[in-house]
Amino acid sequence: MDDRQQAFQKLKPACVALSRTALALSGPKGSVADLTQDLESLRTILNSFTARSSPLDEKLADYVFFPLSQVLKQSQKLSLTCLEITLEVLAVLIENGWRQHIQHALAAQMLILCTLLAGEKPTGLSTEKTTNELRTTALRCLCFLFRALAGTHEGRRGVTAESAVPQLGQTISTTLDALVDGASLELQVAASRALHALADTVGDGDVLASFLPGVVSKLTRVLAPQTKQRRNHAVLIECLEITSVLLKAVLGNPSPTSSAHKRSAPVNGSGVRSESKSRNGDGYQTEASPHVLSALQQICRLRGHDREDVRAALGDLCVTVLQDCSTSLATSRALALGTLVFLSTDSPRMWPVIELENMLQTDTGLLALLQELFHDQLQSLVQTMMGADEYLKTQKIQHLSAAYGMLDRCGATTTLLMRAIAKALDDSVVIVLQSSTLKSSQTISIEPIQSLDLAIQDSDSMRTSFGSALVLQRGQEQVMASIESFIESLGRSPASTHYSIDVAGKIRMSHGDAKISQFWTAYSMVKAAMSNDQVTNTMLTTYETDSANSIDFLEELYSFSLDALTSSVTATAQDQMIQGLALRTVALRAQTAGLDFRAELVDALYPILHTLASPTPALQQDSIVALNIVTAACGYPSTSALIIENFDYLTNAVALKLNTFDVSPQAPQVLLMMLRLAGPGLLPYMEDTVESIFAALESYHGYATLVELLFRVLGVMAEEGIKAPAFASPNKGLLENVYVKEEQWQPMTMAKLMSTLRDRAAERDSLESAENDECGHQAFPREPWAAGPTTENEDDDSAPPLNDTDVEVPPPAPKIYALLLKITTLTQHFLPSASPSLRTSLLSLIRTSIPAIALHDNSFLPLINTLWPEIVSRLDDEEVHVRTAALEVIALLCEHASSFMRSRITVSWPTIKDLHRRLVADLVKTVAPVPKSGARENVETDPKAVSRALALTKPSGSSAVAVYADSSLRLLWDALVGFLLAMVRSTPSLDPDVFDETLEMLKPVLDRADVREALEGPNGNADAVWLIRLRTSAMMPPTVPRAIAIEGAGLHWAEVH
Amino acid sequence: MSPDVPSLQSSALPPAQPKYVLRGHTAQVHAVRFLRCNSRLLTGDANGWVILWDVPIKRPVAVWRAHAQTILGVGVWGEVEEKVITHGRDNKLHIWQIRHEDETDLSKVLPIEETTADRKAPWLLHSLDVNALNFCSFAMCRIPDSDHSHEQSILIAVPGVNDGAITITSLPSQSRFAAIPPLKDINTGMLMALRLHQTSTSLTVLAGYESGHVALFRQPSSGQLWKPSYVAKTHAQPVLSLDLAPGLGAFFSSSADAIIARHSLDASTEPVLLRTKHAGQQSLVVRLDERVFATAGWDGRVRVCGTKGGMTELAVLKWHKEGCFAVAFADILDQGEQVDNDQVVAKKDDEAEIATKALTVSRRREANSAKTHWLAAGSKDGKVSLWDIY
């Protein structure tokens, strides 16, 4: 009450002022501006009320209306702004003041006024023109007015009274004009709201029926999507709602409930009217039906609208058609149903969609209609798929999927239907695949082989989800995604099992794209079924038989997959797709089985790794993902662990593969990876594998790549083999070498010489007792170190003392040792191979295995005997790096075989000298490209030139004039130096000529500490080094010390320096 | 070419490959045997090692050194075949107990790993001192149960102290059941192969000798001496293996020469000789269904032949690079194929299918493995190949 009083207090001055100004306007002094101002203030006050709970009531409204009526009387003089404000105030009054209590006469007047003002060319105004704002306000006013009227029966009856109908028609047409052609958005919105309110208010079918055709056609113009004009969503929603209201009112079913409802309301003549309506109804309803259908066809194009609220409004309209107008608009039902199904694809939880599903549950006619619709769509699917419109394809499939979902939920799917679907989908996938066969042929690049084990180790932290299984063109992804989601929804339904069993049998029979398509469909389906099973199984176990079915199906697919994966020919992209799918199936199977899958690894692990070694990156990726999934499913901490713990299975698979002379590179590559991951523990199991490799090498020795790959495997075996713990322990062989070294010749001191002489004299005296002593320990020192070139026989003589000590000792780790020996022995046949890289890798293999093999002299020395000719012949190799590697191997042999090598080196010495000569010439040539004529001989022996060349080609670039030169020459030089040093260090009793020439060769590097250490060591000759350094003036001749015996001088000086 | 030797058919099929190769022995494999419904495989090697393999997953479940010397033969005994018999050249015959639950405790490290770690041997139930100067493996058979409450009894036949003599011992009583003297008037040399067969009424003993003789003894009425009811010299070389097919009324012998002979159990007909071109058939076994037998040859090949008619060579299984010393068939568990009435078969299959559906993946795998017609061959190279044939 307080509020009302206060409001009155506020309104009173404004109203009084307004009234005065309005009266004054009729007089000469009237000012429109003043009036405008007063109206403004009134509006402000009123608006301030509406801000909170309005204190206005009909009394106050009447009070305020009084000055307004004054104003309106002067309407012809008023400005448009003035009118607009007036209408705004009026709107407020209707909305908040009178509400339902508006007087009918007043309402009728206002209806006329507002209709007038809302028109495009209002009559009775100061100007011919009108503004959008004015029209908008008028329409808003109308809207409120209708809403107010709708509140009471009297109000409604007033509007629909016989006499009011012409005016109503006028209002409708004005509103529609504003709606259709309204220039501003506000105008359109206001018009649509007004019309909505009007339709709500009238609510009488008969009255509206006469307006229906016009209204619907106008509304259709608004609703039909046009390219030139895009309607605002608010307008669209309003219009859809209006259409919905109109259709319901005019063409609605004469439902018993509604008539009962009407009867319950005590309205005069209601019974008569409903009768007449139903009588009339048949007439115009049949007439309206085709019109409405064509209108709906236009309107339903809105289904693709971006805004969900618009689509929801459209859905509501469709629900109205289906639910409320089922008899009158029977012809439009299919359209409405299709639209609703369509709508459900984007927003399946939309109210109209839920409503539809409810209807489907009860309305069998509708369900039949849906089935029919579905069939039609299915029939035309293949047609669509062959077209070029990718978007349309996607839509179509989504549509089908949604319809299927509804059918499924109603339990209306049959085996027959499933078959039809599956066939259509199969065909569709085939079409998609065929259209994508134009894709560029993938470049086949062999992945670096070493990367396989790294890939495994890297994969530990990598993804566990697959990409798309099929290779597609870019535009097709969407289509395939939609097909996939459809298949998934198929798979989730229990009916799918019938179908899937059907498919499983077909896959093995079919070929090419059809096979891929069927496999893919089957896989997608079983995947969905499995995930579904997991859900249902955790909740309830009603689907037991179904899940068993899908497990069977998966089993079938799985066995097919394993076959597909191990087939050795993967030439075409199709095969690769099949394999990709097979990997997915295996992974799915692993996921389903969980830890149980460990038992399956005996069959499944190798095929996965087989694809990992494939040259296709996509397949490799899939393979890694599958590995990750399997690892996780079987509960291994990492993929490496998976492989290591199952290496027996892998060994078996690889061995069998190799045994069949399957020369695809995958098996050796997998073997390589296993060896690297599992280490030497694997080697005892490799016996027959190595034999298979040998057999393969024998049969395919002409194929350089394969041979190289196989030898890489053997090389890795050697590398891993020497890591075996048995070889790591401090070894007997080296100790023996040390022993041999200690027994070497040393320059004799006078005292020693004297004692030796004395010993000899004693020996002569007691020859028999000394004999034993000689045989035992002093075998070596007794050898004449200065003997001439030794013969083979002498080698055999020098070997036995070594052998005697361990004649009964078996090699450490017999299996691995035997394997290493076997592998290394085999290299002899391949060392003369045409491929330089193979020759290098063989030499490096020998280098790897020698330290381990050297642990057992009885095997090692014959091996050297076998390999020596081949290794030495590599010293003449045309490839510099092969020569380098050969020298390195020889150096290593010297280190490990010591005296055994002596005679061999002597025999091969000319070759080494030749190599040195050529090397020096090449080296000098790189530095001085144009040698002086005839200077060749000099160059060869000129150590200064060599050392200069070496300095210049030094990779460190310390030299200011860095020369671009082949670094391989430099490496060869290093290898040569390394060999010579090893030879001098390890070989006792070296031929003096050889030593002298060695010294000559090493002249350029005599300054190096390690060189001098070796040359002056126990097997070297310090005096010779001193002499040569003196000659090359690397050092100043020392001042001759006095009073020193000449015999000892050299030794003494050498020691000084 | 002798008409007896069937020429090898040139088949369109690629050469058969083993399904799996069990690597684990370092020495020659001398004995292989399937047990427990084909779920396990027992192998023994020349160093005395015995490995019990899990067939479905192809991994060892028990590894121990049963004897200090070569294993001559292995066998199983018991209701669920939980007792393992091993016969070694160390003059011992051991009976071990390996129940399912024992498997977890036993070492699974294969001899090939060359570790020196201590291994736990299974529980030793019996140990018999036997004469094992020759290479003849023991033979065993069950005694038909008169008293079900008792432990199942078996008979074990081993060579006697005298050359050519046979000693039969009953277990678990460890009492002497019979002693068969050497053949009279024939210098048979050492006993090379033995086989026992117990019918409901009597015991049949088959013996093969170094001289190439094969003899058949039937259990005499009590108190009387054992006399051979059939003696034939079908081989020029020592007999190496014997096996019998009671359903066919026949038994087979192989020897170090190239002959395989089929003798009839009732001595009614002359022995049928198959002259193969491959000398040295170390082991001959007849499959449980008596349709085929297999021989392990010194040439590294396992040959599968039909038991009827001319003993047609059906398959040559070549994988081992060295000689094969032992061969074994898995038991045929799916007898359904032989039932003539197809409908019955189909029905059975359906039932089986329904039954398998309820199984978990690993159980299903076991079931499949048990149904597989395995053939295991042990070789001098220490490997055992598993084949799935016929």
Side-chain angles (χ1 to χ4, degrees):
Chain A
M1 211 57 195
D2 259 1
D3 283 352
R4 194 171 167 275
Q5 204 59 40
Q6 279 176 9
F8 179 69
Q9 292 302 333
K10 276 189 188 168
L11 284 170
K12 193 177 164 189
C15 287
V16 171
L18 180 64
S19 173
R20 198 179 301 132
T21 333
L23 281 172
L25 199 63
S26 58
K29 292 189 285 177
S31 150
V32 178
D34 288 348
L35 187 68
T36 311
Q37 208 175 346
D38 288 340
L39 278 168
E40 286 266 21
S41 57
L42 180 61
R43 184 178 64 171
T44 316
I45 293 163
L46 283 171
N47 280 347
S48 74
F49 293 150
T50 55
R52 34 197 174 86
S53 60
S54 175
L56 285 176
D57 61 6
E58 63 264 32
K59 293 275 167 50
L60 278 176
D62 281 340
Y63 179 76
V64 178
F65 183 68
F66 176 72
L68 279 186
S69 65
Q70 300 284 343
V71 176
L72 287 170
K73 275 177 194 158
Q74 312 284 336
S75 63
Q76 300 208 332
K77 292 181 187 167
L78 293 180
S79 68
L80 290 176
T81 329
C82 224
L83 272 174
E84 195 188 322
I85 300 170
T86 313
L87 283 178
E88 271 176 38
V89 172
L90 210 52
V92 174
L93 289 182
I94 296 169
E95 194 187 5
N96 298 316
W98 289 305
R99 302 190 189 112
Q100 280 95 26
H101 308 291
I102 192 164
Q103 290 166 19
H104 296 294
L106 185 63
Q109 277 185 349
M110 268 191 237
L111 185 62
I112 296 165
L113 177 74
C114 291
T115 308
L116 196 68
L117 289 175
E120 198 168 2
K121 285 179 183 152
T123 50
L125 286 189
S126 56
T127 55
E128 277 294 290
K129 281 191 178 167
T130 180
T131 62
N132 285 330
E133 287 75 23
L134 181 60
R135 293 177 70 190
T136 309
T137 323
L139 286 168
R140 211 172 279 154
C141 223
L142 270 178
C143 177
F144 293 133
L145 190 60
F146 281 121
R147 281 184 196 167
L149 287 172
T152 59
H153 287 297
E154 288 74 20
R156 276 191 280 184
R157 210 179 315 132
V159 178
T160 52
E162 202 86 3
S163 57
V165 168
Q167 179 55 43
L168 192 62
Q170 184 64 37
T171 310
I172 289 173
S173 106
T174 309
T175 316
L176 279 174
D177 284 344
L179 180 59
V180 175
D181 303 319
S184 78
L185 174 62
E186 286 78 21
L187 182 57
Q188 290 181 9
V189 174
S192 64
R193 291 205 179 126
L195 196 59
H196 195 178
L198 184 148
D200 281 344
T201 311
V202 175
D204 184 323
D206 289 337
V207 178
L208 285 176
S210 52
F211 301 119
L212 185 73
V215 175
V216 168
S217 78
K218 282 277 171 61
L219 283 176
T220 307
R221 275 175 64 192
V222 176
L223 287 171
Q226 288 161 330
T227 43
K228 59 181 178 188
Q229 189 184 14
R230 284 184 65 82
R231 298 282 179 177
N232 183 271
H233 61 91
V235 179
L236 291 176
I237 293 170
E238 288 290 344
C239 289
L240 287 166
E241 283 173 6
I242 296 163
T243 319
S244 190
V245 169
L246 283 177
L247 289 179
K248 199 190 270 185
V250 179
L251 301 168
N253 296 334
S255 62
T257 48
S258 67
S259 57
H261 183 256
K262 271 184 183 167
R263 216 169 285 129
S264 70
V267 180
N268 287 345
S270 66
V272 179
R273 282 181 61 159
S274 62
E275 261 175 43
S276 74
K277 176 186 167 182
S278 57
R279 233 186 304 114
N280 284 349
D282 291 340
Y284 62 68
Q285 276 178 356
T286 46
E287 203 178 305
S289 176
H291 291 296
V292 174
L293 176 61
S294 67
L296 280 175
Q297 274 166 348
Q298 297 281 314
I299 293 168
C300 284
R301 281 159 59 199
L302 272 177
R303 64 191 185 178
H305 201 274
D306 332 318
R307 286 190 65 106
E308 181 160 3
D309 46 3
V310 175
R311 293 199 304 265
L314 180 64
D316 281 342
L317 174 62
C318 291
V319 168
T320 308
V321 171
L322 290 175
Q323 200 164 34
D324 301 314
C325 312
S326 54
T327 46
S328 52
L329 292 179
T331 48
S332 307
R333 276 165 72 93
L335 176 67
L337 182 64
T339 310
L340 270 176
V341 169
F342 186 92
L343 291 175
S344 75
T345 60
D346 282 334
S347 27
R349 302 256 55 86
M350 198 187 255
W351 178 82
V353 178
I354 295 165
E355 191 63 29
L356 172 66
E357 296 202 7
N358 291 339
M359 278 192 274
L360 284 170
Q361 299 285 355
T362 52
D363 189 342
T364 51
L366 197 59
L367 191 60
L369 194 63
L370 181 60
Q371 278 172 325
E372 199 177 310
L373 185 84
F374 186 76
H375 258 291
D376 290 348
Q377 294 278 357
L378 210 54
Q379 295 300 313
S380 59
L381 177 65
V382 174
Q383 206 80 39
T384 315
M385 292 306 291
M386 285 201 243
D389 186 349
E390 300 292 335
Y391 179 68
L392 189 66
K393 294 179 193 172
T394 314
Q395 252 188 354
K396 188 120 189 170
I397 290 159
Q398 283 174 351
H399 195 161
L400 274 170
S401 174
Y404 171 79
M406 288 179 192
L407 283 174
D408 188 37
R409 282 188 284 278
C410 297
T413 50
T414 60
T415 315
L416 209 63
L417 187 68
M418 292 301 295
R419 292 233 169 99
I421 296 170
K423 185 167 183 335
L425 283 180
D426 262 1
D427 292 347
S428 308
V429 177
V430 170
I431 291 164
V432 172
L433 288 174
Q434 274 166 352
S435 64
S436 68
T437 47
L438 296 169
K439 65 188 165 293
S440 59
S441 60
Q442 280 163 335
T443 49
I444 305 290
S445 63
I446 305 285
E447 282 281 301
I449 292 148
Q450 252 82 3
S451 72
L452 216 56
D453 57 310
L454 296 179
I456 290 289
Q457 277 152 350
D458 289 348
S459 77
D460 291 352
S461 58
M462 273 172 61
R463 65 206 174 86
T464 52
S465 63
F466 288 107
S468 167
L470 307 174
V471 182
L472 300 167
Q473 282 174 329
R474 196 160 297 159
Q476 294 170 330
E477 283 155 11
Q478 200 104 47
V479 180
M480 289 309 285
S482 60
I483 295 183
E484 189 167 6
S485 73
F486 185 19
I487 291 176
E488 273 164 21
S489 71
L490 286 177
R492 276 192 289 273
S493 92
S496 68
T497 50
H498 303 293
Y499 158 70
S500 41
I501 287 161
D502 212 34
V503 166
K506 274 199 291 183
I507 295 175
R508 281 176 196 268
M509 310 296 215
S510 50
H511 299 282
D513 285 332
K515 189 172 197 155
I516 300 174
S517 152
Q518 279 162 1
F519 194 5
W520 182 79
T521 319
Y523 164 72
S524 306
M525 195 169 273
V526 80
K527 186 168 133 200
M530 283 341 267
S531 63
N532 195 39
D533 279 346
Q534 275 161 6
V535 174
T536 51
N537 283 348
T538 51
M539 297 194 300
L540 54 147
T541 50
T542 50
Y543 285 120
E544 239 167 47
T545 53
D546 287 326
S547 79
N549 269 339
S550 51
I551 284 173
D552 271 353
F553 181 36
L554 178 59
E555 201 73 19
E556 179 77 35
L557 275 187
Y558 170 70
S559 73
F560 169 72
S561 300
L562 289 186
D563 291 349
L565 281 176
T566 38
S567 79
S568 49
V569 276
T570 53
T572 62
Q574 285 176 349
D575 291 335
Q576 285 168 6
M577 274 195 246
I578 293 269
Q579 293 203 334
L581 282 166
L583 282 172
R584 285 163 177 76
T585 313
V586 173
L588 178 66
R589 173 63 210 271
Q591 275 171 327
T592 318
L595 278 180
D596 268 352
F597 196 73
R598 283 188 181 210
E600 290 289 331
L601 288 175
V602 59
D603 293 330
L605 186 55
Y606 176 73
I608 302 178
L609 289 171
H610 188 85
T611 50
L612 182 63
S614 91
T616 326
L619 209 51
Q620 280 184 330
Q621 277 303 315
D622 284 351
S623 175
I624 285 178
V625 175
L627 271 180
N628 287 340
I629 290 174
V630 170
T631 306
C634 295
Y636 290 105
S638 68
T639 314
S640 325
L642 169 81
I643 289 167
I644 290 167
E645 291 195 20
N646 293 291
F647 75 85
D648 50 341
Y649 295 159
L650 290 174
T651 306
N652 186 60
V654 170
L656 289 182
K657 202 92 182 160
L658 286 171
N659 192 44
T660 52
F661 289 101
D662 183 339
V663 288
S664 58
Q666 279 93 336
Q669 288 193 26
V670 171
L671 188 56
L672 255 182
M673 179 206 66
M674 283 158 56
L675 282 165
R676 288 217 188 269
L677 288 177
L682 202 56
L683 290 182
Y685 297 90
M686 287 287 151
E687 214 176 31
D688 56 298
T689 312
V690 171
E691 262 167 36
S692 301
I693 291 178
F694 284 1
L697 282 172
E698 207 167 297
S699 317
Y700 296 94
H701 55 79
Y703 300 83
T705 336
L706 179 72
V707 168
E708 246 171 81
L709 176 61
L710 291 176
F711 263 109
R712 204 167 301 152
V713 173
L714 295 178
V716 173
M717 278 188 190
E719 268 172 47
E720 296 296 335
I722 59 166
K723 289 183 198 157
F727 298 136
S729 54
N731 48 59
K732 167 185 65 66
L734 276 185
L735 289 176
E736 204 148 14
N737 276 348
V738 171
Y739 169 71
V740 169
K741 269 181 210 157
E742 280 168 356
E743 294 285 318
Q744 292 316 304
W745 175 88
Q746 287 171 350
M748 272 188 194
T749 58
M750 285 302 282
K752 184 104 188 269
L753 181 66
M754 279 154 65
S755 75
T756 312
L757 287 171
R758 255 182 238 121
D759 283 350
R760 291 213 171 182
E763 271 171 35
R764 264 197 303 273
D765 293 345
S766 54
L767 192 69
E768 285 183 344
S769 61
E771 196 69 53
N772 299 336
D773 196 37
E774 271 172 39
C775 289
H777 295 286
Q778 300 218 324
F780 267 116
R782 304 292 296 170
E783 291 275 318
W785 64 269
T790 46
T791 61
E792 286 293 322
N793 287 342
E794 252 178 307
D795 281 330
D796 295 337
D797 290 341
S798 64
L802 289 172
N803 293 351
D804 280 349
T805 55
D806 55 2
V807 101
E808 291 298 326
V809 178
K815 283 252 175 194
I816 300 181
Y817 186 87
L819 210 61
L820 285 179
L821 188 64
K822 224 173 187 176
I823 292 172
T824 317
T825 315
L826 183 77
T827 53
Q828 59 170 319
H829 305 297
F830 292 87
L831 271 174
S833 146
S835 152
S837 59
L838 177 59
R839 295 197 298 265
T840 320
S841 80
L842 287 179
L843 287 168
S844 87
L845 190 159
I846 297 173
R847 214 168 59 209
T848 311
S849 57
I850 277 176
I853 294 178
L855 296 183
H856 190 242
D857 280 333
N858 279 356
S859 315
F860 181 47
L861 301 183
L863 176 72
I864 295 178
N865 198 34
T866 314
L867 289 181
W868 182 253
E870 295 302 337
I871 295 175
V872 169
S873 67
R874 285 309 103 210
L875 291 177
D876 296 331
D877 203 282
E878 65 264 34
E879 294 290 333
V880 177
H881 59 269
V882 177
R883 271 182 271 161
T884 312
L887 273 176
E888 282 166 2
V889 168
I890 296 175
L892 200 65
L893 288 177
C894 286
E895 253 172 55
H896 287 282
S898 56
S899 67
F900 189 71
M901 295 296 293
R902 190 179 56 230
S903 63
R904 279 162 226 289
I905 288 172
T906 316
V907 170
S908 320
W909 191 247
T911 320
I912 293 165
K913 276 200 298 190
D914 192 44
L915 178 126
H916 172 255
R917 196 160 46 243
R918 272 195 294 163
L919 169 63
V920 167
D922 287 345
L923 266 177
V924 173
K925 225 190 293 174
T926 56
V927 186
V930 192
K932 287 165 217 155
S933 57
R936 189 172 166 79
E937 282 302 309
N938 296 337
V939 158
E940 277 173 15
T941 49
D942 183 7
K944 276 188 195 135
V946 176
S947 52
R948 199 177 63 234
L950 287 173
L952 286 173
T953 53
K954 212 166 216 160
S956 63
S958 58
S959 154
V961 272
V963 174
Y964 175 78
D966 195 352
S967 67
S968 61
L969 281 180
R970 163 108 214 157
L971 291 175
L972 179 58
W973 170 258
D974 286 348
L976 180 63
V977 171
F979 154 65
L980 292 172
L981 295 186
M983 177 185 78
V984 172
R985 269 197 212 112
S986 316
T987 318
S989 322
L990 207 58
D991 187 336
D993 292 342
V994 170
F995 184 79
D996 286 348
E997 277 160 356
T998 306
L999 211 52
E1000 199 66 31
M1001 289 182 203
L1002 290 177
K1003 227 191 261 174
V1005 288
L1006 273 180
D1007 294 336
R1008 271 164 54 179
D1010 59 330
V1011 174
R1012 283 198 8 231
E1013 178 263 315
L1015 291 175
E1016 293 168 3
N1019 293 331
N1021 187 342
D1023 300 350
V1025 177
W1026 175 80
L1027 188 63
I1028 206 149
R1029 274 165 60 80
L1030 192 66
R1031 275 198 206 138
T1032 55
S1033 41
M1035 54 183 268
M1036 292 306 290
T1039 50
V1040 182
R1042 279 156 239 158
I1044 286 183
I1046 287 168
E1047 296 97 313
L1051 172 64
H1052 189 80
W1053 290 333
E1055 275 168 0
V1056 167
H1057 297 282
Chain B
M1 186 185 273
S2 155
D4 284 355
V5 180
S7 59
L8 280 180
Q9 291 171 339
S10 59
S11 160
L13 289 168
Q17 278 283 309
K19 281 277 175 271
Y20 203 89
V21 176
L22 300 169
R23 300 163 173 81
H25 287 290
T26 47
Q28 301 93 296
V29 178
H30 277 180
V32 291
R33 197 185 192 294
F34 283 96
L35 57 152
R36 299 184 200 165
C37 298
N38 307 335
S39 69
R40 296 285 182 274
L41 177 72
L42 198 61
T43 59
D45 74 14
N47 288 345
W49 287 97
V50 173
I51 304 178
L52 186 65
W53 303 88
D54 183 330
V55 177
I57 65 165
K58 278 99 181 161
R59 285 191 173 158
V61 290
V63 180
W64 78 101
R65 193 163 183 189
H67 295 273
Q69 291 180 39
T70 304
I71 303 279
L72 292 175
V74 293
V76 287
W77 172 26
E79 283 300 329
V80 290
E81 305 190 333
E82 77 282 4
K83 288 171 215 162
V84 167
I85 308 171
T86 62
H87 181 198
R89 280 211 85 195
D90 54 358
N91 295 333
K92 296 277 183 198
L93 190 140
H94 293 315
I95 294 164
W96 316 82
Q97 174 173 272
I98 308 178
R99 287 163 306 182
H100 203 273
E101 61 266 29
D102 296 332
E103 286 176 357
T104 47
D105 298 335
L106 296 169
S107 171
K108 291 170 179 53
V109 182
L110 293 165
I112 204 170
E113 302 276 0
E114 295 173 346
T115 58
T116 51
D118 279 346
R119 292 167 198 269
K120 191 183 162 195
W123 186 257
L124 187 61
L125 290 173
H126 304 276
S127 178
L128 299 181
D129 284 322
V130 295
N131 174 30
L133 284 173
N134 48 15
F135 281 92
C136 179
S137 167
F138 74 101
M140 65 161 279
C141 70
R142 290 177 191 169
I143 297 173
D145 246 348
S146 51
D147 183 1
H148 286 277
S149 61
H150 269 87
E151 198 179 2
Q152 193 188 34
S153 306
I154 55 166
L155 293 176
I156 299 263
V158 290
V161 181
N162 298 331
D163 266 0
I166 303 165
T167 308
I168 302 178
T169 312
S170 136
L171 281 177
S173 64
Q174 297 201 17
S175 59
R176 171 76 57 95
F177 177 83
I180 303 175
L183 294 181
K184 278 177 191 165
D185 311 327
I186 305 170
N187 184 14
T188 56
M190 280 192 293
L191 195 61
M192 295 303 290
L194 274 174
R195 196 64 76 200
L196 293 184
H197 178 62
Q198 174 80 54
T199 59
S200 54
T201 54
S202 74
L203 177 70
T204 307
V205 181
L206 300 175
Y209 298 93
E210 196 182 0
S211 61
H213 282 88
V214 176
L216 184 150
F217 302 87
R218 286 198 202 280
Q219 187 174 9
S221 48
S222 57
Q224 287 191 305
L225 277 178
W226 287 73
K227 280 186 182 155
S229 58
Y230 168 78
V231 177
K233 181 173 162 59
T234 46
H235 302 280
Q237 297 281 327
V239 174
L240 290 177
S241 184
L242 288 165
D243 203 4
L244 80 171
L248 297 174
F251 70 97
F252 299 84
S253 62
S254 73
S255 80
D257 60 18
I259 295 170
I260 294 172
R262 188 179 65 200
H263 315 263
S264 65
L265 276 173
D266 52 5
S268 56
T269 54
E270 285 293 299
V272 180
L273 301 188
L274 169 64
R275 289 172 209 280
T276 67
K277 298 248 159 176
H278 333 281
Q281 316 281 341
Q282 176 81 52
S283 171
L284 185 152
V285 287
V286 178
R287 197 163 71 176
L288 200 64
D289 63 1
E290 297 178 3
R291 297 169 110 193
V292 291
F293 69 86
T295 59
W298 290 350
D299 56 354
R301 288 164 175 81
V302 172
R303 293 184 173 76
V304 181
C305 303
T307 50
K308 290 172 189 156
M311 295 182 274
T312 323
E313 194 171 77
L314 300 172
V316 179
L317 308 179
K318 166 86 183 93
W319 185 84
H320 295 285
K321 304 274 193 304
E322 293 173 84
C324 289
F325 288 169
V327 67
F329 277 112
D331 294 345
I332 306 291
L333 296 177
D334 53 343
Q335 297 282 346
E337 285 170 35
Q338 288 147 38
V339 181
D340 288 16
N341 193 335
D342 282 350
Q343 281 182 330
V344 175
V345 177
K347 203 173 173 187
K348 264 191 184 169
D349 280 356
D350 278 354
E351 278 167 12
E353 205 132 290
I354 290 162
T356 52
K357 264 175 199 167
L359 299 178
T360 62
V361 177
S362 60
R363 289 191 141 266
R364 189 184 288 222
R365 189 176 182 83
E366 282 165 22
N368 283 342
S369 171
K371 275 195 282 178
T372 309
H373 294 189
W374 292 115
L375 183 152
S379 158
K380 193 178 174 187
D381 58 15
K383 294 171 187 70
V384 178
S385 52
L386 286 178
W387 308 74
D388 176 11
I389 47 143
Y390 300 115

